[in-house]
Amino acid sequence: MSSAPTTPPRSFLWARAVFLTLLSGFVLVPVFVMVSSSLKPLQDVSGRFRWLPSGLTIRPYFDIWDTVPLARYFANSVVVAGVATVFSVIIAIFAAYAVSRYEFPGKRVFTVTVLSTQMFPGILFLLPLFLIYVNIGNATGIALYGSRGGLILTYLTFSLPFSIWMLIGYFASIPRALDEAAAVDGCGPVATLFRIVIPAAIPGIVAVAVYAFMTAWGEVLFASIMTDDTTRTLSVGLQGYATQNDVYWNQVMAASLTVSVPIVAGFLLLQRYLVAGLTAGAVK
């Protein structure tokens, strides 16, 4: 007979309450500073910091679209991150399915190589990719440097290895008896993938998609080198609020909050799938 759960000691409850309060303050205080600063006139933000603004204004939320071409930067980020995510998910699904279901020469070498690419910092690939893109442009006329396509290929080199590795673990956790049952019903490998494996692996696929999107959305190093004025993304475009004479801190905060809304909303909507996908991949 199982015993009833015991009540934690009062000291533990107090310690937990204090710790959670401090942790909440650590997270929420910067958000409060961002919100309050975005609602202040520029002279108030540039002066001595005050927790409560003397006057409130929503003007910075209108000015952010005129000071820099924020709408264009936002569109560039959405296109680059969205396309990179789609290709990363599609390629990772087929690669992970092949590795998790079939034996072929070089399988172990492939998986080890995919994972070992994560050991190297991204800055090591900056100069090689820059030279490759420039030489390809000179030889073929295909403009990869300074284009969205070049930035998408760059982000695929970073998101694909981890995406493949995570989906390998998730696909391997799906019982092969489902594949055998599908084969009995006349499904081939491709039909089994689309009808059986992918529907059962939705949480893992969503986790991979979120990872790939966030990798591309917030990247700064390659976006600052591989783009020009027309293809610049948000992570780099926000620097436009700093001029030689002044920094529009209220507009920086307003723009940061504005571009964060889609990301926060997406996380809230996909949180259940994201946690399930990461957990399954880690356990396997």
Side-chain angles (χ1 to χ4, degrees), residues 45-109:
V45 183
S46 303
R48 183 177 180 181
F49 176 76
R50 295 180 180 180
W51 287 101
L52 297 177
S54 57
L56 297 178
T57 177
I58 60 173
R59 187 65 188 176
Y61 286 91
F62 295 96
D63 293 339
I64 57 176
W65 307 99
D66 298 326
T67 304
V68 301
L70 188 64
R72 185 174 65 198
Y73 298 159
F74 188 85
N76 290 336
S77 292
V78 170
V79 171
V80 170
V83 175
T85 299
V86 170
F87 278 100
S88 182
V89 170
I90 293 175
I91 297 173
I93 286 176
F94 283 99
Y97 180 69
V99 172
S100 64
R101 288 299 192 268
Y102 300 101
E103 296 293 334
F104 53 87
K107 173 181 176 179
R108 181 174 179 81
V109 175

Side-chain angles (χ1 to χ4, degrees), residues 15-16 21 25 35 53 57 86-87 89 111 127 143 177 195 200 204 247 279:
R16 183 179 62 180
T21 301
V35 174
T57 177
V86 170
F87 278 100
V89 170
T111 55
L127 182 58
R195 295 183 181 181
V247 179
T279 303

Side-chain angles (χ1 to χ4, degrees), residues 114-151:
V114 166
L115 186 62
S116 63
T117 57
Q118 301 299 296
M119 297 188 302
F120 303 99
I123 194 172
L124 292 180
F125 301 97
L126 180 59
L127 182 58
L129 285 175
F130 173 81
L131 295 176
I132 290 173
Y133 289 174
V134 171
N135 290 329
I136 289 177
N138 294 334
T140 65
I142 300 176
L144 292 178
Y145 173 74
S147 67
R148 292 175 176 176
L151 199 58

